[in-house]
Amino acid sequence: MSYLNENKKLSIITQRLIPEHIRFKHPNFVAFVEGFFKYLEEDGNPYSVVTNILRTADIDKVADEYLVYYRLQYAASIPERISNDFRFFIKNVQKLFRSRGTEASFEFYFDHVFSSSVEFYYPESDILKLSSAKWEKSQYWTIVQDIENDAQYLDEQILYVDAKIQGDTSGAIAFTKGVGAFETFPTSGVYVYGFEIDEKSIQGEFTNGEDLTVIESENTIPTSYTHLTIDTQYEWPGTYPDTRHQTSGRSKLRDNYYYQEFSYVLQSPLSADVYFPYMKQFLHPAGYLMFGEVVIISEVPEQGYGPEFGTIIGYRPFVYAKVDPDPDHILGELHASYKHNRFIRYTQPWDMHTNGEAEANKHTNTKGIMVRYIKDWLETPISFFDTNSAEKMVLTASHVTL
Amino acid sequence: MASNIAVTELDFATIKQNIKTFLRGQSEFTDFDFDGSAISVLIDALAYAAHITAVQANMSFNEIFLDSATLRNSVISRAKELNYLPRSETAAQATVNMVVADVNDPSSINVPKGTKFSSTIDNETYIFSTVTDQVLARVTAGNYAGDVTVYQGEYQQSTFTVTSIIDGVIQNKFVIQDTNIDTRFLTVDIEDTKGASSFSWVITDDITDVSSASLTFYLQEVENEHFEIYFGAGLIGKQPVVGNYITTDYLVTAGVDGNLVNNFTLISTISSNEVNYTPNLFTVTTVDKSFGGRARESIAEIKVMAPKYYETQGRAVTVDDYKVIMLKQFPEIETLSVWGGEEEIPAQFGKVFISVKPIYGTTFPPTTLDEMEIYMQRKNIVGVTSEIVSPQLIYVNIISVVKFDGQSTTQTEGQIRSLIQTTMFDYIDNQSEVFDQGIDFSPTISKIDTIHDSIESNITAFSLSHKFIPSTTVNNDYQFDYANVIDPSSVVSTWAGVDTTTAWELKDDGLGILHIYKDGILFLSNAGGVDYAGGIINLSNFLPDVATNTTFSLTVSPISNDLLSRRRALLVAGDMTGINVYDSSKVGGSFEAILFNDLTDAQKAALGL
């Protein structure tokens, strides 16, 4: 059996190679030579090997058994089990080498070697630093939607978070930070919503009563959602968005081990024992301290509630919290600002019960949720505003029972 | 590493048989007698032809890959694909001190590049040369002195005139005639035409900063161990034009043969300040004997280094990156250790430590260490700093009692003991002085048994020592890393006081505290601490009553029989006087009883007796 291309075979041109008088007088000899050529052309025999040698120099054509030599030449320190498509990997391995030490290189390695994922946490970001407080000042606008002209009311407030809006009349521009829920049904046919506006982002002067247009958004906003009008612009006093600057807050003192500038944490479903040796050899930047954390990722449906999901290996992936806010603020409805952090975007509003308790149904519109961030959430105050008083209140862990 | 590839049968007899078997399988030859004389001769001829083709096929196939290639030219070609330039011959370097007087009292005297010194070792004469201009400073009025670094070799030149090859293509590559050159000192100057003003072109291995007008050249190894310079063809570097005159200067060296030279005689007349200083005016003394000379990179070394260098992509990120880049850039390094500051004790995050050992020596001159540090700062991640540190030597001592049969040899007890001590020093010496390389116990005791036919058995243990010269004027802290778990209550150091009669002793209490005893009585408690598991000893506020420049030896017993090395710790051969022998044919009594008579308490403890 030969894999030689037909036009490269010697055996088929034997007749032409041998003079006619010999072919005529010694047919057996010709057949013998032809048979010998066929032997040489057999796969693995000399002529076949020599003729196919150029294929060996092409990684897309080389036989699988010789791929190891490509690995030894171009990716000697990469484990043999790398990638399902080794040929593709070798052709792109230089990009991996050039990016070593970056998050992208870790993600690539986890994906191709361990068929897993990795996230990053830098303890340095939680170190208490003097004068590191951020001071934010926001405006709260009530936005009116005339549903007589809209097919749907604004029940997808999430779409308006981090959106760039423009006043149709004034031409002024601003960015939204959060969007309040729809608890208010003030008058028939009109809905009112709360937009939290980053005051620093306001360019120009919006006027009450002018229509708004979303001109940029990370989300695709249906055209039927666009009839928005500014009702009233309230200005909130400034506030600190988090407790990072407070000694009583979540920040940590530098400990020259975990909490220092040169440490990083790999968060993966894998045990650190599995990937540490590879990371140390291949990706870990010398001088840094690497930690590993096992994270548990649970696939959950979008409209789930806490208790029915129970626990996962001792952790509660969802929090079903009863909130007992400051009674002074339970005059009207509470609107929860949408909360952002690295992994979770809380999409559900807070429901007000008749008994004065608010229930928080926090879940994510992403498919995964990492339990450690529930803890983060509890340590990070959530801002509310009271639609009656237009005052801002802060809900902290002290208001929440799990 | 993969073995060579066998892509086709290479055994003649098998090939011949395979041909017969194949032909028998063809319908037209089923009734042939392949063992008949005529056809057998024909098959022999065909088998030879197939055999030769098979050999060529195997050779060709193997030369395709770096790992299986056997010819240097093939390995070099594969290394080029990885942007790897193999190491050339590396000249040994030495430091000499030059002293001269000049009544004209100039501000300094310049020792120009190319100044030659003669030296002899093993009846061979070697020339050493300066590779840069160096300065002798004015010490006092009319007197000049300074340390000068010299490299083994003499400067030679190859010159080329750029010509047009064919079809207007300009010659772009030029092969340097000499082979044993040290490419570190290669310079290229180009004149528009011979005799016109010349411009220096610089070598580069990184094209990111090169423009079409940059005066840069590239270097590669070509056939037969020659090096070739080439240019960027007006795209990644300026292209010399027809008629340009190229002068290459380089040091031709004997490489490894130039090591360990320690006598130097100036043979060049030095011109400085318009004055010619003849060699006899200078006093030349050796500061550092020559070291760092090395042969060109071997095929085996290239196969290891080229893929590793490719993986670095010129960036120092991981520990391995640092090692490869350092070894590539500084061929005079014999061995090195790299560790991140997260592994240092105490931890120093954001730092990377590099400890280097030269060929034929244990430390580099400070100027070389500075040069290494500066180079690595250009390669590592922003925010991370590299620190080059000298090795910390751990002396490996052998404590042994060797039993031999005096009636089976004419050698005396003293001769046997001396033979064992010398042999074991060399044995440890050959096993050590490589970073991250330990010494195994079992082969060591086996080695002792094989030193002489009369040796019957041995009881042996290792001890480890650090040597240091403490300050006698200032209280200092000292830290010693033994790289091995320390046996509690084994730490010991003894010294005589300034009065030579006081006996001082430093010992640990087995609980991690060091105490100092004077004439056997506790003198100072808590003189430091011992981290037994970590293998670390800290001396605190140490100010011994001892003569200035006294070398201290701080000795411990490791818990493990096998010795480890780590970080900056470098195991070296130490004291072998703890090797004792006794003649079993003369001495009666038990083995242990005899040992107790001849050994010190520390030696007994080390041997577990």
Side-chain angles (χ1 to χ4, degrees), chain B residues 477-547:
Chain B
D477 294 340
Y478 300 89
Q479 185 178 75
F480 303 102
D481 181 359
Y482 285 83
N484 290 272
V485 179
I486 298 171
D487 194 7
S489 303
S490 72
V491 181
V492 64
S493 180
T494 58
W495 66 95
V498 174
D499 59 8
T500 70
T501 59
T502 308
W504 295 89
E505 190 173 31
L506 176 76
K507 293 194 296 188
D508 71 311
D509 61 2
L511 300 172
I513 307 295
L514 292 171
H515 303 295
I516 295 176
Y517 297 84
K518 181 181 180 183
D519 292 330
I521 299 170
L522 180 64
F523 175 79
L524 176 66
S525 62
N526 201 2
V530 186
D531 175 0
Y532 296 113
I536 303 287
I537 292 181
N538 287 293
L539 278 179
S540 307
N541 290 316
F542 192 56
L543 182 62
D545 167 36
V546 71

Side-chain angles (χ1 to χ4, degrees), chain B residues 123-189:
Chain B
N123 295 321
E124 289 285 337
T125 300
Y126 295 97
I127 300 297
F128 282 70
S129 305
T130 54
V131 298
T132 57
D133 289 352
Q134 297 179 66
V135 173
L136 303 184
R138 184 171 176 270
V139 181
T140 58
N143 292 301
Y144 304 84
D147 288 349
V148 172
T149 303
V150 295
Y151 289 83
Q152 193 282 312
E154 272 187 278
Y155 271 99
Q156 301 290 344
Q157 279 189 349
S158 287
T159 58
F160 314 92
T161 300
V162 180
T163 59
S164 175
I165 305 174
I166 50 170
D167 299 332
V169 176
I170 300 172
Q171 186 182 7
N172 184 265
K173 298 179 177 178
F174 304 89
V175 177
I176 294 169
Q177 296 308 309
D178 294 285
T179 54
N180 293 334
I181 72 170
D182 187 333
T183 56
R184 292 177 299 170
F185 309 118
L186 172 67
T187 60
V188 172
D189 295 286

Side-chain angles (χ1 to χ4, degrees), chain A residues 161-193:
Chain A
V161 175
D162 294 332
K164 187 177 183 180
I165 56 174
Q166 185 171 35
D168 290 352
T169 308
S170 65
I173 291 172
F175 282 88
T176 63
K177 283 176 65 180
V179 178
F182 58 92
E183 285 78 359
T184 301
F185 306 95
T187 56
S188 175
V190 176
Y191 290 91
V192 179
Y193 311 97

Side-chain angles (χ1 to χ4, degrees), chain A residues 28 31-32 35-36 38-40 42 44-46 49-50 53 56 66 69-70 72-77 94 97-101 256-257 260 262 280-289, chain B residues 2-3 5 7-8 18-19 22-23 29 39 42-43 46 50 53-54 57 60-61 64-67 81-82 307 310-313 315 317-318 321 340 342-343 349-352 381 383-384:
Chain A
N28 280 346
F32 191 82
F36 174 66
K38 284 179 180 173
Y39 162 77
L40 291 180
E42 283 289 291
N45 283 350
V49 170
V50 170
I53 210 159
T56 310
Y66 302 122
Y69 292 91
Y70 279 91
L72 291 171
Q73 185 162 327
Y74 294 105
S77 68
Q94 191 183 39
F97 292 147
R98 283 181 180 166
S99 66
R100 286 202 290 179
N256 203 32
Y257 182 63
Q260 46 94 11
F262 293 95
K280 289 278 280 186
Q281 182 195 352
F282 191 67
L283 294 178
H284 170 66
Y288 283 72
L289 191 55
Chain B
S3 57
I5 310 166
V7 289
T8 186
N18 286 347
I19 292 173
F22 178 81
L23 292 175
F29 301 116
I39 201 164
L42 188 56
I43 287 178
L46 294 177
T53 310
S60 303
F61 201 95
I64 286 176
F65 299 111
L66 176 67
D67 197 65
E81 295 166 4
L82 301 173
Y310 178 71
E311 289 186 7
T312 71
Q313 293 290 310
R315 300 170 64 236
V317 178
T318 67
D321 293 341
E342 71 273 20
E343 295 177 7
F349 302 108
K351 267 190 173 184
V352 175
I381 297 173
V384 174

Side-chain angles (χ1 to χ4, degrees), chain B residues 31-254:
Chain B
D31 55 348
F32 271 49
D33 177 10
F34 289 99
D35 296 322
S37 60
I39 201 164
S40 181
V41 170
L42 188 56
I43 287 178
D44 273 355
L46 294 177
Y48 278 121
H51 185 242
I52 291 168
T53 310
V55 170
Q56 290 176 329
N58 271 285
M59 282 284 292
S60 303
F61 201 95
N62 276 281
E63 299 307 308
I64 286 176
F65 299 111
L66 176 67
D67 197 65
S68 56
T70 54
L71 301 175
R72 184 174 182 89
N73 289 346
S74 302
V75 172
I76 295 296
S77 296
R78 300 289 80 76
K80 281 181 195 171
E81 295 166 4
L82 301 173
N83 192 30
Y84 185 76
L85 174 65
R87 183 188 69 234
S88 67
E89 294 278 346
T90 303
Q93 70 177 87
T95 306
V96 296
N97 184 266
M98 297 177 70
V99 176
V100 67
D102 183 354
V103 293
N104 296 320
D105 197 24
S107 59
S108 63
I109 292 176
N110 184 50
V111 180
K113 171 186 171 183
T115 301
K116 294 181 192 174
F117 297 75
S118 174
S119 57
T120 303
I121 185 168
D122 294 336
N123 295 321
E124 289 285 337
T125 300
Y126 295 97
I127 300 297
F128 282 70
S129 305
T130 54
V131 298
T132 57
D133 289 352
Q134 297 179 66
V135 173
L136 303 184
R138 184 171 176 270
V139 181
T140 58
N143 292 301
Y144 304 84
D147 288 349
V148 172
T149 303
V150 295
Y151 289 83
Q152 193 282 312
E154 272 187 278
Y155 271 99
Q156 301 290 344
Q157 279 189 349
S158 287
T159 58
F160 314 92
T161 300
V162 180
T163 59
S164 175
I165 305 174
I166 50 170
D167 299 332
V169 176
I170 300 172
Q171 186 182 7
N172 184 265
K173 298 179 177 178
F174 304 89
V175 177
I176 294 169
Q177 296 308 309
D178 294 285
T179 54
N180 293 334
I181 72 170
D182 187 333
T183 56
R184 292 177 299 170
F185 309 118
L186 172 67
T187 60
V188 172
D189 295 286
I190 300 183
E191 302 159 30
D192 285 349
T193 56
K194 187 175 182 181
S197 299
S198 70
F199 295 92
S200 294
W201 293 45
V202 295
I203 189 169
T204 184
D205 61 356
D206 180 359
I207 64 171
T208 53
D209 292 330
V210 177
S211 72
S212 59
S214 299
L215 301 184
T216 55
F217 71 93
Y218 304 88
L219 184 68
Q220 63 183 0
E221 185 176 331
V222 291
E223 289 80 11
N224 303 319
E225 303 187 348
H226 283 280
F227 284 92
E228 176 183 74
I229 61 168
Y230 63 103
F231 299 90
L235 297 171
I236 43 175
K238 190 175 177 181
Q239 168 65 47
V241 298
V242 173
N244 281 177
Y245 188 72
I246 301 173
T247 302
T248 58
D249 274 285
Y250 45 83
L251 199 68
V252 176
T253 179

Side-chain angles (χ1 to χ4, degrees), chain A residues 71 78-86 89 108-109 112-113:
Chain A
R71 188 178 71 79
I78 302 282
E80 285 185 50
R81 63 180 177 179
I82 185 81
S83 187
N84 293 329
D85 187 349
F86 185 77
F89 178 81
F108 183 93
Y109 205 89
H112 284 259
V113 177

